[in-house]
Amino acid sequence: ITGLLGFLLLMGLERMLQPRAVDGLYFQSWSSEAFMQTVPIQNLRDAPLETLLNIHIQPPAFDALRAVLVRFASGPGIHTQLKQVDHRIYYIWAAVYALLGSLLFLWIEDLTTAWFAFPAALLFLLHPASILYATLLDTTLLTAVLILWAYYLLWQAQDNSGAPVGWLIVSVLALFFTRSLFQWPFVLVFAVCLWLLGTTRRRVLTFVLITGVVAGLWMAKQYAQFGILSTSSLTGINLSRSVGILDRENRRVDRQAHEASGLPAVLQNRWKTGHRVNLNHNSYLDLNQRLMDRYQAYMLSAPVGDLTRAYLFNLHLYLRPSSAYEDNVIVSWLPWRSVYDSIFSFPVLPGLLLVAGILTLLRMFRERTYRSTAALLIPAALILLISVVSERGENHRFKFFLEPVLYVFILSEFWRLGVHLRQKARKAPSLRPGWI
């Protein structure tokens, strides 16, 4: 029911505010073609498999979705077909938005009660950032839902060390092929978390073997084709930007020197639809390496004070309201936006996390749940760290990756505190299982 209500809510908002949309379709100013992480829609239409196998700027999941959708587009030109693709992505993102509500309800219900979980899940669906990223044509919302799902599976594993790991394998691989933040080391991270939770050795090895082989095969392909050991060649740009050494001059590429016959079109096209730069052009591989070399040299020589100030500035950006990423006609209309923005930003959100963290640590020392606490802390800590040290400018968008998980964590800790206080006053029945 929560998911269905979420889907109807989003569809209702989109229909109501569609007259304000750009070109009658876009709730912000960007099509899916405008994002630097996507490849030309024309290449996806004309040679889908070849194009998907020659992507170096980003994992292929989102472009694979666009490739499927453009095959069913029937407009007279590529611009019309792009609009058809984006229109259908809005519907798919609405389904993902509904899934977000359903997952939140299931997890919060397990931690509290159905009567509490239902309004709590709906309240998060009303979060302006949830609506923003459900109407943004990139993978931010999908990434947040996949992280929430992976966390829910880890949380379930703490009570059943023999639980199957099949769905966790699916969720981790989905993250690997969706977002460049999740590289192959996350396979080891989740394996360590399973071990800390007491999962049997056989199941941990099964997880490592399957996820490691699949991710390893893709990484081997990337290295053989492009000489990179990641799913994204934007690493040099992001890392250089994160410490403030990226400028227009060192972003220039010499495309003439990289023209080569026989390469797939997606590596030769300079422009995407709408005269957007195709960062999957072959020349950007050298740019990435040049920027990586520059970044590494800077990190070895930069004063500690400069790096500290750079990362504190990134953290400041991270703690901004996540709905402030891009102007959106729906989000701008929401009368409750300012309230949510105040809660999900500095200083309220860090304050709530501090209190919830103290409550968790107190219970950890009292009940000696050191391993399970570490298992549920490690992935979020790494995601936060990467979001701060590897980006500058869009850090608050990356914060939304964790907001659903943090929301569940905070609610569960305050719920347990409330029940504990009520027990002391009324001698109520024992607590239901908590976060840890």
Side-chain angles (χ1 to χ4, degrees):
I1 295 177
T2 309
L4 177 60
L5 286 177
F7 184 85
L8 295 175
L9 166 68
L10 187 60
M11 288 291 97
L13 287 171
E14 290 184 7
R15 289 293 179 87
M16 181 176 67
L17 294 168
Q18 194 169 14
R20 303 186 187 181
V22 179
D23 293 333
L25 174 62
Y26 298 108
F27 298 101
Q28 69 292 315
S29 59
W30 298 333
S31 70
S32 63
E33 193 85 339
F35 288 89
M36 60 190 299
Q37 300 92 342
T38 56
V39 298
I41 192 75
Q42 184 169 348
N43 297 143
L44 292 171
R45 181 195 65 184
D46 297 341
L49 185 58
E50 177 187 75
T51 299
L52 292 173
L53 289 175
N54 285 278
I55 295 176
H56 60 73
I57 55 170
Q58 191 77 355
F62 186 50
D63 277 322
L65 172 63
R66 297 172 74 228
V68 171
L69 294 177
V70 78
R71 297 289 290 179
F72 296 97
S74 57
I78 194 63
H79 290 85
T80 301
Q81 292 171 9
L82 173 62
K83 291 183 69 174
Q84 291 180 1
V85 167
D86 291 346
H87 180 67
R88 289 163 183 165
I89 293 175
Y90 278 135
Y91 280 102
I92 295 172
W93 271 195
V96 175
Y97 176 81
L99 181 60
L100 171 63
S102 298
L103 280 172
L104 285 170
F105 173 80
L106 289 173
W107 197 359
I108 297 172
E109 182 190 27
D110 287 345
L111 290 163
T112 60
T113 67
W115 292 107
F116 181 79
F118 180 69
L122 285 180
L123 281 174
F124 193 84
L125 291 180
L126 291 172
H127 182 7
S130 299
I131 296 171
L132 170 67
Y133 297 114
T135 52
L136 188 73
L137 297 167
D138 88 323
T139 58
T140 301
L141 176 69
L142 179 60
T143 303
V145 172
L146 290 173
I147 291 173
L148 177 67
W149 185 31
Y151 248 101
Y152 182 44
L153 294 170
L154 276 181
W155 176 82
Q156 288 181 320
Q158 70 178 329
D159 294 326
N160 183 5
S161 60
V165 296
W167 285 119
L168 185 62
I169 290 172
V170 173
S171 66
V172 172
L173 286 176
L175 285 167
F176 176 79
F177 284 107
T178 298
R179 201 84 205 183
S180 59
L181 184 149
F182 294 90
Q183 299 295 319
W184 63 265
F186 267 91
V187 172
L188 301 179
V189 169
F190 277 95
V192 169
C193 292
L194 287 172
W195 172 74
L196 288 171
L197 292 171
T199 303
T200 62
R201 181 181 301 177
R202 179 180 177 182
R203 287 176 169 81
V204 173
L205 290 176
T206 299
F207 172 84
V208 172
L209 181 64
I210 296 176
T211 52
V213 167
V214 175
L217 287 173
W218 187 263
M219 298 313 304
K221 181 201 79 71
Q222 293 292 93
Y223 185 76
Q225 286 181 285
F226 309 120
I228 59 175
L229 287 173
S230 73
T231 58
S232 174
S233 61
L234 298 179
T235 309
I237 293 177
N238 290 337
L239 290 175
S240 298
R241 185 167 57 198
S242 71
V243 291
I245 60 173
L246 183 68
D247 54 42
R248 184 178 296 275
E249 180 62 29
N250 58 45
R251 285 188 62 172
R252 290 182 178 176
V253 296
D254 183 3
R255 294 190 180 89
Q256 295 294 338
H258 293 86
E259 297 297 342
S261 61
L263 288 177
V266 72
L267 295 173
Q268 295 191 73
N269 284 356
R270 298 185 183 185
W271 306 103
K272 299 190 285 185
T273 303
H275 208 64
R276 299 281 183 171
V277 175
N278 174 26
L279 294 183
N280 203 67
H281 187 278
N282 191 44
S283 58
Y284 283 93
L285 288 167
D286 282 349
L287 172 66
N288 174 67
Q289 187 57 56
R290 190 169 76 243
L291 291 175
M292 282 296 296
D293 293 342
R294 177 183 171 90
Y295 170 78
Q296 291 169 0
Y298 177 80
M299 294 298 290
L300 291 173
S301 61
V304 174
D306 290 352
L307 292 177
T308 301
R309 283 189 291 272
Y311 291 137
L312 285 176
F313 179 69
N314 295 349
L315 180 62
H316 166 73
L317 296 177
Y318 186 84
L319 293 173
R320 292 182 60 208
S322 46
S323 71
Y325 171 64
E326 167 67 7
D327 290 337
N328 182 292
V329 296
I330 298 178
V331 174
S332 298
W333 175 86
L334 297 176
W336 56 84
R337 178 181 181 180
S338 60
V339 175
Y340 274 84
D341 283 354
S342 297
I343 295 173
F344 286 91
S345 63
F346 183 84
V348 177
L349 181 61
L352 292 173
L353 285 173
L354 177 62
V355 174
I358 291 173
L359 293 173
T360 297
L361 290 176
L362 291 174
R363 188 169 66 258
M364 179 189 73
F365 289 117
R366 183 175 67 250
E367 301 177 5
R368 300 183 183 277
T369 56
Y370 306 111
R371 290 167 62 99
S372 57
T373 301
L376 293 173
L377 173 65
I378 289 171
L382 286 176
I383 294 169
L384 186 153
L385 178 65
I386 295 171
S387 300
V388 171
V389 304
S390 66
E391 174 59 33
R392 173 172 295 179
E394 299 186 6
N395 309 78
H396 51 313
R397 175 169 66 92
F398 289 7
K399 177 162 64 70
F400 186 75
F401 293 161
L402 285 176
E403 283 188 9
V405 173
L406 298 180
Y407 181 71
V408 175
F409 170 58
I410 292 169
L411 284 185
S412 68
E413 289 304 318
F414 280 92
W415 169 270
R416 283 180 61 84
L417 177 62
V419 172
H420 176 71
L421 295 175
R422 194 163 62 246
Q423 281 182 345
K424 292 186 67 174
R426 304 179 183 177
K427 296 183 179 181
S430 59
L431 290 173
R432 299 184 67 174
W435 174 268
I436 304 296

